[in-house]
Amino acid sequence: DTEVTQTPKHLVMGMTNKKSLKCEQHMGHRAMYWYKQKAKKPPELMFVYSYEKLSINESVPSRFSPECPNSSLLNLHLHALQPEDSALYLCASSPVVLAGDEQYFGPGTRLTVT
Amino acid sequence: GIQVEQSPPDLILQEGANSTLRCNFSDSVNNLQWFHQNPWGQLINLFYIPSGTKQNGRLSATTVATERYSLLYISSSQTTDSGVYFCAVEASGGSYIPTFGRGTSLIVHP
């Protein structure tokens, strides 16, 4: 099974809401990633978890809070977002965070902040 | 950091045509992947190709690591090939952070 799943597919939230994005993989991968992608731009890395520990945080605002409960699950908690945070949020996984590792992406969650 | 440039930025083809997409990178890499992002946003792995040549059906890719470029060939294009093609590289030196190019947007007309 070479699949990464993400829920929900679409999310509309107000600036005062709290919501969570979920990502799951069953490939036995030990590294998971969150990316943000704006229209007509490449994905931008937000967080990297390796063996359930946060290993890379690309200076993302604190209104985004990642959580990795186990090696198969990755959540992104959202609170007090701004309209400019509207984007496609992509989750990815790879066997480990090592040089030369291949990433597999989920279908993404389209987030609209009103 | 490493720079990744893709060309052309936009490409319009008639169904059945062949095309070549290019990815240039500014430093040595441990990893290079080609992805196809379909109109719904899904990033689909095409090739994991830090060096050498691979083929998968109508698609093939070649990476010449010593000259710091990779090529993606699409033959007999179909309308389902439409979307954005991204090249992503991981620089040597232990950053473990993939850097994406800006992509090539491909439209294939029937």
Side-chain angles (χ1 to χ4, degrees):
Chain A
D1 186 4
T2 56
E3 189 178 57
V4 178
T5 59
Q6 289 187 241
T7 55
K9 286 187 167 49
H10 301 272
L11 178 62
V12 179
M13 60 185 290
M15 289 189 284
T16 58
N17 291 158
K18 286 185 182 181
K19 296 286 185 184
S20 296
L21 309 184
K22 297 185 185 304
C23 175
E24 189 168 10
Q25 58 89 13
H26 293 289
M27 294 179 277
H29 290 175
R30 301 310 300 269
M32 297 187 77
Y33 310 73
W34 278 116
Y35 288 82
K36 173 183 177 181
Q37 186 179 24
K38 301 284 277 184
K40 299 190 183 302
K41 300 283 190 183
E44 298 174 27
L45 185 66
M46 300 173 73
F47 302 103
V48 180
Y49 272 84
S50 176
Y51 290 87
E52 295 114 70
K53 291 191 190 318
L54 184 64
S55 62
I56 297 173
N57 173 349
E58 293 286 282
S59 300
V60 176
S62 59
R63 57 186 184 267
F64 295 91
S65 174
E67 178 198 15
C68 192
N70 60 57
S71 59
S72 299
L73 291 172
L74 183 65
N75 299 321
L76 186 62
H77 302 298
L78 314 172
H79 174 55
L81 294 194
Q82 304 297 310
E84 60 264 28
D85 296 321
S86 298
L88 179 67
Y89 288 84
L90 293 160
C91 174
S93 70
S94 64
V96 290
V97 178
L98 282 179
D101 220 9
E102 185 174 4
Q103 292 199 333
Y104 296 84
F105 281 81
T109 294
R110 288 204 182 271
L111 174 67
T112 302
V113 182
T114 60
Chain B
I2 192 168
Q3 304 299 312
V4 182
E5 292 185 6
Q6 290 187 242
S7 60
D10 300 281
L11 187 58
I12 300 175
L13 298 176
Q14 209 64 33
E15 201 167 29
N18 302 329
S19 62
T20 301
L21 283 56
R22 187 176 180 103
C23 173
N24 291 338
F25 42 95
S26 61
D27 208 342
S28 57
V29 298
N30 291 320
N31 179 8
L32 187 145
Q33 284 188 258
W34 282 100
F35 296 95
H36 173 215
Q37 188 165 40
N38 65 23
W40 297 272
Q42 171 84 61
L43 272 166
I44 300 161
N45 286 31
L46 297 177
F47 295 103
Y48 170 75
I49 187 167
S51 64
T53 296
K54 290 186 178 180
Q55 178 148 11
N56 184 0
R58 295 181 296 104
L59 303 181
S60 64
T62 294
T63 296
V64 184
T66 53
E67 296 187 23
R68 298 181 184 166
Y69 72 89
S70 183
L71 301 174
L72 177 69
Y73 305 96
I74 305 174
S75 64
S76 303
S77 58
Q78 300 176 359
T79 56
T80 51
D81 295 331
S82 297
V84 182
Y85 290 80
F86 287 106
C87 163
V89 305
E90 184 182 302
S92 301
S95 71
Y96 311 145
I97 297 175
T99 300
F100 280 75
R102 296 181 65 84
T104 291
S105 176
L106 172 65
I107 298 174
V108 180
H109 288 304

